Amino acid sequence: MAEINAASGQLTPYAHSLGIAVDRVEGGVPVLVVDFSNAVEGRPGALHGGAISGLLETAGYAALRGELDRIERKARLKPINITVEFLSAGKPRQTFSKARITKLGRRTANLVVEAWQVNRDRPIASAVMNVMVKDEEP
Amino acid sequence: MARQSFALMPDEPIPFDPALAAPLLGKGSHNGWLGLRYRDHGEDWVELELPWRADLLGEEEEEVLASGPIISLMDMASGLSIWTRKKLFQPIATLDLRVDYLRGSKPRASVFGRVQCYHLGHSAAFVRGIAHDGDADDPVAHMQGVFMTIATDPRNFARG
């Protein structure tokens, strides 16, 4: 529970406002969830691609923040880029997302993120992100 | 009388007009929630505005819009640019979208998304665009993407 609260406290105002929450923490990595609502609806009855992208990106930052906290490294994060692949239409139900840090370097981090609904082995979208990691002055 | 009613139903469908369509597409959905507004368009491009709002911030203390809403802005402008070039509204799905963030937008500034549909294939549409905060020559982000048309068969539409 403490892990969930810590991760929730780091979500952006945008993420809270879209309805993104921390569902659970798996091995130190937050699994985010968003319920289906008007705020995330695109075509009638389908998730909006932009909302899915927002969820993926938020899951990426959540994983990175968690790891930086774990290794007690204070840094500011700035987006470099994100590439999102949309694999199937998002249905009107809960959507989950979790990231994997593929590289955390001195200046940049690279992450792979997936979003899924009922079946975790069949993601509805995946993303690759590069993030600038700037250490704060001690 | 009969002649008049025929005049209201031309043989050719009315070409897609992003200025008229944008407000309707946003109603009760993610785009409406973001408050996206139509700004301008040409033969194959559309520009929308994402107004600044406190609950769309990336980091509270910085008053800069998060990157998530910028993806949504570019996604919506992409769809409109495709329908504008096609002169026809047709259901589409985003296949792939890439955004490069050049810099943060100015505090409390609206972000504008200008997207061009530069190629229309049989079922794939290719788009590219920029996001800026007032000066299109000084973008905050670049994006490119590919969209697929969805067959208009209602059974396919329901399946998404």
Side-chain angles (χ1 to χ4, degrees), chain A residues 22-45:
Chain A
V22 179
D23 186 65
R24 56 189 184 271
V25 177
E26 291 177 350
V29 184
V31 176
L32 304 189
V33 64
V34 67
D35 286 334
F36 190 79
S37 71
N38 274 349
V40 297
E41 186 168 18
R43 277 184 291 117

Side-chain angles (χ1 to χ4, degrees), chain A residues 12-14 17-18 38-43 48-51 53-54 57 61 76-77 79-86 89, chain B residues 28-31 33 55-58 62 66-69 71-72 75 92 94-101 150 157 160:
Chain A
T12 59
Y14 158 73
S17 150
L18 196 60
N38 274 349
V40 297
E41 186 168 18
R43 277 184 291 117
H48 190 284
S53 308
E57 200 174 43
Y61 284 107
R76 296 179 62 83
L77 304 178
I80 298 173
N81 60 24
I82 181 168
T83 307
V84 186
E85 308 291 332
F86 298 90
Chain B
S29 71
H30 183 65
N31 296 320
W33 175 78
D55 66 340
L56 296 182
L57 297 191
E62 294 204 18
S67 40
I71 305 181
S72 298
D75 185 82
I92 52 171
T94 319
L95 185 67
D96 151 294
L97 198 75
R98 173 191 172 116
V99 180
D100 288 289
Y101 301 103
I150 298 172
F157 184 54

Side-chain angles (χ1 to χ4, degrees), chain B residues 13-17 43 82-89 120:
Chain B
I14 299 163
F16 180 81
D17 183 343
E43 285 280 304
I82 293 164
W83 299 320
T84 300
R85 179 170 171 143
K86 232 179 193 164
K87 299 185 167 61
L88 180 71
F89 175 81
L120 263 181

Side-chain angles (χ1 to χ4, degrees), chain B residues 30-104:
Chain B
H30 183 65
N31 296 320
W33 175 78
L34 282 174
L36 298 182
R37 288 202 291 245
Y38 166 84
R39 292 284 296 185
D40 200 1
H41 79 278
E43 285 280 304
D44 62 354
W45 63 271
V46 172
E47 182 169 297
L48 299 178
E49 176 180 1
L50 169 65
W52 185 89
R53 212 169 78 200
D55 66 340
L56 296 182
L57 297 191
E59 286 178 73
E60 223 146 348
E61 63 273 25
E62 294 204 18
E63 303 200 320
V64 169
L65 285 174
S67 40
I70 294 176
I71 305 181
S72 298
L73 165 74
M74 302 314 279
D75 185 82
M76 172 71 169
S78 296
L80 288 166
S81 77
I82 293 164
W83 299 320
T84 300
R85 179 170 171 143
K86 232 179 193 164
K87 299 185 167 61
L88 180 71
F89 175 81
Q90 189 179 20
I92 52 171
T94 319
L95 185 67
D96 151 294
L97 198 75
R98 173 191 172 116
V99 180
D100 288 289
Y101 301 103
L102 308 187
R103 61 175 177 85

